[in-house]
C-alpha cells in the first residue's frame, strides 16, 4: 500500500482505540522499550504527544531514559511551518508549551541543539513496514531532520500496531528506523 492509503487506514485505527486501550498499549510499549539494550544516552529527541492525533505518549519512556542516563538532556521539536525547518529545544517540567498552527504543543523558545548532538530519536509515526520505513503525517519534517542526524544516532519508532509487509512508495529521502516498539514486540532493522 502507499503512504497515503496507510495514513488514512491508521488514522482510523487510532481513532477507534478507547482511552483504556491506549493506556494499556502504551504500558506494554514501555515494557518492550525497556528490553532494548541502548548505550549511554546524553541527548534524546522526543515529541510531545497529541491527544487529538491519538499519538503514543513517550513521556514514560523519557522518564525511564532519565533514570538510566543521569544528566540526560531531553529535546523536543519546534516547527517553522514557513520554512519546514525543525529546531530542537531543551525540554523539562519548567518549560511552558504553546500550540502551533497544526495544534501541536511546543516550547515557544529556549536553548537549541544541533541534530548532530542527538544520540537517540523517538520518532512519531502512523505506520511502519518490516524494513523499518515509516509513514508519518506527510509533511517531511522528520525525514529532513533524521537526514541531519549522525549516522550512529538511534532512531526508534513507537506504534500501537504491527508492521505492514511493505510501504510501496518509499523514496530516497525516507530514512529507516533502527527499531520500532509495539505492544507485542521490538522490531530491529
Amino acid at each position: 500500500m502507499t503512504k497515503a492509503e496507510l495514513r488514512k487506514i491508521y488514522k482510523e485505527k487510532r481513532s477507534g482505540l478507547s482511552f483504556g486501550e491506549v493506556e494499556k498499549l502504551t504500558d506494554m510499549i514501555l515494557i518492550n522499550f525497556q528490553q532494548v539494550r541502548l548505550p549511554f544516552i546524553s541527548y534524546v529527541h522526543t515529541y510531545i504527544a497529541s491527544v487529538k492525533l491519538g499519538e503514543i505518549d513517550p513521556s514514560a519512556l523519557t522518564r525511564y531514559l532519565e533514570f538510566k542516563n543521569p544528566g540526560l538532556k531531553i529535546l523536543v521539536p519546534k516547527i517553522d511551518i514557513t520554512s519546514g525547518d525543525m529546531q530542537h529545544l531543551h525540554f523539562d517540567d519548567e518549560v511552558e508549551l504553546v500550540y502551533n498552527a497544526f495544534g501541536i504543543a511546543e516550547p515557544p523558545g529556549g536553548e537549541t541543539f544541533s541534530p548532530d548532538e542527538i544520540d537517540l530519536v523517538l520518532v512519531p509515526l502512523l505506520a511502519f513496514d518490516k524494513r523499518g520505513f515509516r509513514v508519518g503525517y506527510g509533511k517531511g519534517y522528520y525525514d529532513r531532520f533524521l537526514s541531519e542526524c549522525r549516522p550512529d544516532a538511534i532512531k526508534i519508532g513507537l506504534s500501537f500496531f504491527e508492521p505492514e509487509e511493505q510501504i510501496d512508495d518509499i523514496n530516497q529521502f525516507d530514512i529507516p528506523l533502527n527499531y520500532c516498539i509495539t505492544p507485542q514486540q521490538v522490531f530491529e532493522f
Side-chain angles (χ1 to χ4, degrees):
M1 279 192 268
T2 67
K3 292 176 189 174
E5 292 167 327
L6 291 168
R7 218 171 262 123
K8 183 175 190 243
I9 290 167
Y10 281 88
K11 282 181 180 179
E12 288 176 17
K13 284 176 98 168
R14 264 198 201 166
S15 68
L17 294 173
S18 71
F19 179 76
E21 288 172 315
V22 166
E23 279 193 327
K24 179 182 175 191
L25 295 172
T26 301
D27 287 345
M28 293 167 68
I29 288 169
L30 172 61
I31 290 165
N32 284 335
F33 181 78
Q34 292 171 337
Q35 306 310 308
V36 178
R37 293 196 179 274
L38 295 170
F40 186 83
I41 305 295
S42 297
Y43 297 91
V44 61
H45 173 103
T46 187
Y47 60 93
I48 298 168
S50 168
V51 175
K52 179 180 82 172
L53 297 175
E55 290 181 324
I56 295 166
D57 183 354
S59 59
L61 282 67
T62 55
R63 284 192 301 274
Y64 169 76
L65 287 171
E66 283 181 298
F67 172 74
K68 297 290 280 184
N69 301 275
L72 178 72
K73 289 258 191 209
I74 298 173
L75 314 178
V76 295
K78 179 175 174 57
I79 303 295
D80 182 327
I81 295 169
T82 308
S83 70
D85 291 334
M86 180 188 291
Q87 290 182 310
H88 316 284
L89 283 78
H90 180 252
F91 179 74
D92 60 27
D93 293 335
E94 309 289 311
V95 175
E96 291 193 34
L97 301 172
V98 297
Y99 289 91
N100 67 19
F102 294 131
I104 307 294
E106 60 185 20
E111 184 180 7
T112 62
F113 293 83
S114 168
D116 63 5
E117 295 179 85
I118 297 169
D119 302 308
L120 185 146
V121 182
L122 296 177
V123 185
L125 55 83
L126 286 163
F128 71 106
D129 72 13
K130 292 182 176 178
R131 300 172 301 160
F133 290 103
R134 61 182 269 284
V135 175
Y137 296 99
K139 304 287 187 217
Y141 293 114
Y142 269 86
D143 288 316
R144 283 190 294 280
F145 158 49
L146 294 174
S147 72
E148 298 170 353
C149 291
R150 298 188 324 257
D152 67 335
I154 302 164
K155 299 165 289 299
I156 301 179
L158 307 173
S159 178
F160 288 129
F161 309 104
E162 296 302 291
E164 290 290 322
E165 192 63 40
Q166 180 175 310
I167 300 166
D168 294 334
D169 54 346
I170 295 300
N171 62 53
Q172 75 269 20
F173 301 110
D174 291 316
I175 307 290
L177 302 166
N178 299 103
Y179 299 93
C180 194
I181 316 293
T182 72
Q184 288 72 36
Q185 71 183 80
V186 174
F187 292 88
E188 185 173 358
F189 310 104

